[in-house]
Amino acid sequence: MPKSIVVDPNKVRKAGQIEIPPIPVNQYAADPKKEEKKYGKKRLLKMYQDMVFIREFETMLNNIKQQGEYRGIPYDHKGPAHLSIGQESAAVGQCLLLDREDYIFGSHRSHGEILAKCFSAVDKLDDSALEGILKGYMDGRILSVVQKEHRGDLRSLALDFVLYGTLAEIFGRETGFNKGLGGSMHAFFAPFGSMPNNAIVGGSGDIAVGSALFKRINRKPGIVIANIGDASSGCGPVWEGIMIAAMEQYRTLWPKEVGGSPPILFNFFNNFYGMGGQPEGETMGFGMLARLGAGVNPEALHAERVDGYSPLAVADAVERKRKILLAGKGPVLLDVITYRISGHSPSDASAYRTKEEIALWEQNDCIADFGRYMVESGWAADSDLEAIRSAAAERVSRVCRLAVDLSISPRLRTDDADRIGEVMFSNQKIEKFDDREPEALLPLEENPRLESNRRKSRSGLDEQGKPLPKAKVIAFRDALFEAMLHRFYIDPTMVAYGEENRDWGGAFAVYRGLTEALPYHRLFNTSISEGAIVGTAVGYALSGGRVVPELMYCDFMGRSGDEVFNQLAKWQSMSAGVLKMPVVLRVSVGSKYGAQHSQDWSSIVAHVPGLKVYFPATPYDAKGMLNLALAGSDPVVFFESQRIYDIGELFEKDGVPEGYYEVEEGEPALRREGSDLTIVSVGATLYRALEAVEELEGKYGVSAELVDARFINPLNYDRIVASVRKTGKVLLTSDACERGSFLNTMAAQITQLAFDELDGPPVVVGSRNWITPCAEMEDSFFPQKEWILDAIHERLLPLKGHQTRSNQSIEEMQRRNRRGV
Ligand SMILES: Cc1ncc(C[n+]2csc(CCOP(=O)(O)OP(=O)(O)O)c2C)c(N)n1
Ligand SMILES: [Mg+2]
């Protein structure tokens, strides 16, 4: 079903020019009368208080880092503290009018943003909702600490809760917001809309877009703000995030009732510095950061520069932009100017800027300025402001005293229990993340591809055990399709996207038949932005939905390295299990297309803690393992070899079941029983290993047991070890390059688990440590049946009369190692 966006040569060839709308700069006009009327004195005073609290909090950390104490409380804080002294007005102004359902994501310098957002949420919640959160969060653990010493009402208690939860997190305590597993740069408190902060600068750029997509697609209230530093405007995830956020399809192709573009505000806290580099005038070319909006879309992202030293200017901008976003007319970019008077970190000597410049900003200090403005406007007396400042010092001291005390604020115990291990995965079965009816265009049973599947054989073999023609069998890709379809009709939050996912049917036709079945917002094409394809999925999932992003080729994972390794893998554990990450990242592994389209990088993801890694090799497993992944709550990198998309089921007697089933997680499959030696395969190499097993049997009378690992992580070694105990010999093979391949980890594990039963060391047969050559030369690169037989002959079990065709000797192994190839 082709889309209806016609590319008409008569239109696209016409002469003309592009008009870029003007981008306002610092246009806010202060008007005390209007401001008082709008906000009321109480709220304006509260704004001042929020800023003062943040200043005191950061000053406390600065003193602790630089002098080892704050107001007579000694403490040695080993971790980082990127302070935002000078930036308080921008954070508080931003949060003033946000609702609790509005989310902010941020970066390494986010203490002030966390506090500002939480203070704002406290103001907006009614007593019972507020109490519910304080009592319910981590079973009331944080509340019970602050409650003891606190005297005052619920709202005042909530302030202690916010200050203490943040500080205990910074100090790495179990009583912190994330049990100390996030720390200073990753702390957040989701119940108040303060979402993950990222030590990978710019990392929130695409994650926040995913969160906004979640809100839009699932009709959730609120907007999402990505708080990004000015120097991080050069980051790939920021640009890719903007590209996905600005896709036109939300307004041209998605159903109107979904509501338009995702409600995302790219908010740059522009303090004019990276660590030492200066984006304006040195490391970037935009002149003014707000200009970045100009090239992106006809609205220039509604971009504006806002004076962040006036909290009311920021509040006004956020309020106006929020309306645009809720109307589905975003995305929006704000360039909020501010200045960090503190160093990048407490050890920073500010060698990259002059003392005069710092003094200029100190003269304009945003808190002192606002205080003066309040007094001049008659909103407060000096004594009111002084009272707020001394109350802040008293409160921050109280909280600090609690947070440094190990008997009150202990660390997570890791000595007697695997407490960090427990939060690496959430390991839950979740049928659906919401109860509403899944949106679909067709009843499941009427799906055209299911109908054609019904005419195919569920097995790849006929009754005599002979292979059936490929067009007549349920192939690997059909099996994947059935798993996807099943979950789409159960979980209304489930979405899938990537490059060419919709009309094309996915690059390898796995999704053919889904375009007819699903509305646009559940299956869509994205820009070619591999980083943000994964990054938005991270944001979507941690906001509460299930998502299946696709990478067309494993090689392109290089483009999404940070999103896979640092984001997808880590947010469940860095949140101490507060967040879930139901992302199934489908990654196809190529061949035939040479060096940049044929790599199996399963070992790289296996190396990174926090990812599950599946690698099915049969249609039965494709469906059963994808069903398993799609019912879970953890990030799964799901590898699919392009070599076998069209293969039928050869191992399971009854073929691929029509109904729902799951493969047991982590359990390898026994493909052939044998007694003389064990072959373990990962991925599509299974079929070459099978040929080797058949030749061993037929030609040499050797009985080989063939085990298909199926899983890389988690992996239960019992079956493999049981086989090795029986045979005493093991060869491992896969299409990944041999050096650093996961096979070597398996070989080391087997050696340790079954050393006494082994006749010799495990033998690894991987691909050569070369670039993958062209299709015609591939046989010299990927493991072949002959290599397996030769390696067995040379190193495990001499085969009578065998003529080797490749060199699998120990000497050759050493030669290759020496040469690094
Ligand atoms: C991807 C990445 N690159 C580099 C760094 C090291 N680093 C930490 S903060 C920083 C400067 C960031 O500047 P900006 O985005 O303007 O934020 P600011 O520190 O001014 O708040 C750098 C380079 C990092 N954490 N992440
Ligand atoms: Mg900066």
Side-chain angles (χ1 to χ4, degrees):
M1 187 171 47
K3 290 181 299 244
S4 53
I5 305 171
V6 176
V7 186
D8 179 351
N10 297 316
K11 283 191 186 151
V12 297
R13 298 187 65 207
K14 249 196 196 137
Q17 64 185 10
I18 291 173
E19 305 286 343
I20 295 171
I23 294 178
V25 174
N26 298 332
Q27 292 282 340
Y28 181 74
D31 182 335
K33 281 217 178 70
K34 272 199 201 149
E35 287 161 348
E36 183 180 333
K37 189 156 176 249
K38 181 170 172 130
Y39 300 110
K41 284 185 190 167
K42 203 170 146 210
R43 203 163 188 190
L44 290 160
L45 203 60
K46 177 66 176 29
M47 268 186 110
Y48 180 82
Q49 175 180 306
D50 288 356
M51 290 195 277
V52 168
F53 274 27
I54 295 171
R55 174 72 55 95
E56 192 63 31
F57 186 90
E58 296 284 69
T59 304
M60 172 262 297
L61 282 169
N62 199 40
N63 290 1
I64 281 180
K65 283 300 282 188
Q66 289 187 339
Q67 292 143 33
E69 64 120 23
Y70 165 72
R71 292 177 162 259
I73 307 165
Y75 188 59
D76 173 23
H77 173 55
K78 292 193 168 50
H82 300 93
L83 308 177
S84 58
I85 295 173
Q87 302 190 182
E88 298 86 349
S89 50
V92 170
Q94 174 180 91
C95 295
L96 182 70
L97 296 172
L98 293 183
D99 280 336
R100 181 170 72 105
E101 289 85 7
D102 296 322
Y103 290 167
I104 64 166
F105 288 76
S107 71
H108 59 296
R109 194 181 305 290
S110 286
H111 303 160
E113 293 151 39
I114 300 166
L115 298 179
K117 182 68 174 78
C118 291
F119 293 158
S120 152
V122 168
D123 291 342
K124 273 145 209 151
L125 282 161
D126 65 38
D127 279 2
S128 81
L130 180 58
E131 199 173 0
I133 292 172
L134 303 195
K135 282 190 172 156
Y137 193 74
M138 301 229 172
D139 301 325
R141 186 177 321 188
I142 299 174
L143 181 64
S144 70
V145 174
V146 290
Q147 221 164 14
K148 278 193 207 113
E149 297 209 8
H150 179 264
R151 306 277 168 271
D153 65 6
L154 177 67
R155 255 143 246 288
S156 163
L157 177 63
L159 295 190
D160 273 21
F161 178 97
V162 168
L163 290 164
Y164 172 79
T166 308
L167 187 58
E169 184 58 35
I170 293 169
F171 289 166
R173 306 308 173 95
E174 192 177 2
T175 46
F177 280 154
N178 313 107
K179 297 190 182 174
L181 295 179
S184 164
M185 295 194 285
H186 313 109
F188 69 100
F189 188 64
F192 288 164
S194 163
M195 298 300 276
N197 293 300
N198 223 302
I200 303 290
V201 301
S204 289
D206 51 12
I207 292 176
V209 174
S211 181
L213 276 169
F214 173 80
K215 282 194 185 290
R216 182 59 79 224
I217 291 168
N218 297 283
R219 322 305 202 269
K220 301 288 181 199
I223 65 162
V224 179
I225 300 182
N227 282 324
I228 303 165
D230 52 322
S232 303
S233 58
C235 293
V238 174
W239 279 97
E240 289 197 358
I242 292 175
M243 292 305 116
I244 290 196
M247 294 194 302
E248 282 188 69
Q249 62 180 290
Y250 307 122
R251 289 180 234 166
T252 53
L253 298 169
W254 286 31
K256 286 276 168 291
E257 63 271 18
V258 177
S261 301
I264 173 78
L265 193 168
F266 297 94
N267 183 79
F268 291 88
F269 280 133
N270 182 358
N271 60 15
F272 297 93
Y273 285 93
M275 285 168 64
Q278 289 181 267
E280 287 198 18
E282 186 188 11
T283 63
M284 298 293 285
F286 43 51
M288 247 189 230
L289 196 151
R291 191 193 310 278
L292 287 183
V296 176
N297 65 7
E299 304 89 66
L301 297 181
H302 308 276
E304 270 186 48
R305 165 166 281 192
V306 180
D307 175 11
Y309 256 40
S310 158
L312 295 175
V314 182
D316 165 74
V318 172
E319 186 185 28
R320 285 185 288 110
K321 302 304 180 185
R322 190 170 179 276
K323 284 192 192 127
I324 293 174
L325 293 172
L326 291 177
K329 297 194 170 134
V332 165
L333 182 148
L334 284 181
D335 165 9
V336 177
I337 57 168
T338 181
Y339 195 79
R340 109 176 119 62
I341 289 167
S342 42
H344 163 71
S345 59
S347 60
D348 171 6
S350 284
Y352 48 86
R353 54 183 177 174
T354 63
K355 289 200 174 54
E356 291 73 25
E357 181 185 289
I358 300 175
L360 278 177
W361 284 90
E362 277 171 337
Q363 282 157 27
N364 285 272
D365 183 276
C366 60
I367 300 181
D369 250 12
F370 189 59
R372 261 192 305 275
Y373 186 60
M374 292 188 68
V375 174
E376 279 162 23
S377 308
W379 301 340
D382 278 326
S383 56
D384 298 327
L385 306 185
E386 174 48 36
I388 286 177
R389 288 195 295 270
S390 59
E394 188 263 323
R395 197 184 282 268
V396 170
S397 304
R398 178 169 66 237
V399 160
C400 181
R401 214 169 285 117
L402 293 173
V404 299
D405 187 335
L406 271 170
S407 68
I408 297 171
S409 308
R411 293 193 199 287
L412 196 73
R413 292 196 67 170
T414 53
D415 48 354
D416 59 350
D418 191 10
R419 298 290 302 281
I420 297 179
E422 280 164 15
V423 293
M424 290 308 296
F425 296 113
S426 43
N427 278 323
Q428 290 179 8
K429 278 248 172 292
I430 298 177
E431 279 288 294
K432 47 185 165 176
F433 280 88
D434 197 15
D435 280 333
R436 66 181 197 274
E437 197 58 34
E439 293 163 281
L441 305 174
L442 289 176
L444 175 84
E445 288 309 313
E446 287 174 24
N447 188 281
R449 184 156 180 189
L450 269 192
E451 265 171 43
S452 86
N453 281 5
R454 280 190 207 106
R455 292 192 292 275
K456 292 179 177 176
S457 162
R458 305 297 303 182
S459 167
L461 302 172
D462 67 13
E463 266 146 35
Q464 285 73 48
K466 296 246 158 55
L468 285 161
K470 284 178 172 165
K472 298 204 162 150
V473 301
I474 295 292
F476 193 93
R477 60 161 61 87
D478 301 317
L480 291 171
F481 164 81
E482 289 184 0
M484 290 291 291
L485 192 71
H486 173 85
R487 188 57 57 189
F488 263 124
Y489 278 76
I490 289 180
D491 187 345
T493 71
M494 174 160 151
V495 294
Y497 54 83
E499 292 150 27
E500 332 311 342
N501 265 205
R502 193 169 170 94
D503 322 80
W504 193 283
F508 307 101
V510 172
Y511 293 165
R512 208 166 280 162
L514 287 183
T515 309
E516 296 86 329
L518 297 167
Y520 249 96
H521 56 290
R522 301 194 69 200
L523 175 73
F524 53 94
N525 298 330
T526 63
S527 53
I528 301 178
S529 311
E530 282 81 6
I533 288 171
V534 181
T536 52
V538 169
Y540 189 93
L542 64 77
S543 301
R546 177 171 270 132
V547 48
V548 186
E550 184 191 77
L551 293 178
M552 201 188 275
Y553 279 79
C554 184
D555 314 65
F556 308 163
M557 201 193 286
R559 281 276 177 92
S560 55
D562 178 55
E563 284 81 354
V564 175
F565 307 143
N566 281 318
Q567 312 297 346
L568 185 65
K570 295 194 168 78
W571 278 111
Q572 288 202 106
S573 42
M574 287 202 297
S575 73
V578 169
L579 302 175
K580 291 195 179 55
M581 194 60 70
V583 177
V584 180
L585 175 60
R586 292 187 46 245
V587 179
S588 98
V589 180
S591 60
K592 293 194 255 176
Y593 277 56
Q596 295 179 331
H597 278 64
S598 312
Q599 299 171 90
D600 166 351
W601 279 352
S602 50
S603 64
I604 303 183
V605 284
H607 179 68
V608 177
L611 296 171
K612 293 188 171 179
V613 188
Y614 297 5
F615 206 152
T618 67
Y620 180 95
D621 284 352
K623 181 168 172 178
M625 289 168 69
L626 189 53
N627 278 339
L628 175 73
L630 289 173
S633 57
D634 289 310
V636 176
V637 184
F638 197 90
F639 287 97
E640 302 163 13
S641 172
Q642 284 171 30
R643 297 169 188 280
I644 52 173
Y645 272 130
D646 60 0
I647 205 163
E649 177 56 42
L650 307 180
F651 298 97
E652 288 291 327
K653 198 165 59 52
D654 299 324
V656 181
E658 238 179 291
Y660 183 84
Y661 63 97
E662 291 172 6
V663 166
E664 195 179 345
E665 186 169 64
E667 291 299 325
L670 186 62
R671 300 301 182 195
R672 279 293 166 87
E673 262 190 89
S675 51
D676 297 329
L677 64 96
T678 303
I679 299 179
V680 180
S681 70
V682 180
T685 326
L686 169 69
Y687 297 92
R688 276 156 280 150
L690 183 64
E691 287 173 24
V693 167
E694 281 166 357
E695 193 160 324
L696 283 167
E697 182 91 60
K699 199 163 161 191
Y700 302 104
V702 168
S703 157
E705 183 143 302
L706 178 56
V707 180
D708 171 4
R710 307 199 282 195
F711 294 91
I712 291 178
N713 190 48
L715 175 58
N716 180 358
Y717 280 83
D718 286 356
R719 175 162 270 162
I720 296 170
V721 167
S723 177
V724 171
R725 290 217 164 101
K726 183 167 63 170
T727 64
K729 300 174 184 61
V730 60
L731 177 144
L732 302 112
T733 186
S734 86
D735 283 338
C737 287
E738 176 275 330
R739 188 174 56 242
S741 156
F742 187 70
L743 299 179
N744 287 308
T745 300
M746 290 171 91
Q749 293 284 331
I750 294 167
T751 307
Q752 290 168 75
L753 293 168
F755 185 71
D756 290 341
E757 284 87 353
L758 280 170
D759 296 342
V763 171
V764 168
V765 178
S767 289
R768 299 300 304 273
N769 298 315
W770 303 338
I771 55 162
T772 316
C774 63
E776 293 79 359
M777 293 160 68
E778 269 187 4
D779 291 358
S780 66
F781 174 81
F782 290 116
Q784 303 296 310
K785 173 191 73 178
E786 291 74 19
W787 300 12
I788 297 171
L789 294 172
D790 292 349
I792 291 170
H793 178 69
E794 295 259 14
R795 286 158 54 194
L796 281 179
L797 181 69
L799 303 171
K800 210 156 164 234
H802 179 71
Q803 297 283 322
T804 58
R805 271 171 283 181
S806 64
N807 189 347
Q808 304 293 332
S809 68
I810 293 288
E811 293 71 29
E812 172 65 3
M813 209 171 126
Q814 281 183 307
R815 188 190 72 83
R816 290 178 189 176
N817 282 336
R818 272 197 307 272
R819 294 198 56 229
V821 294

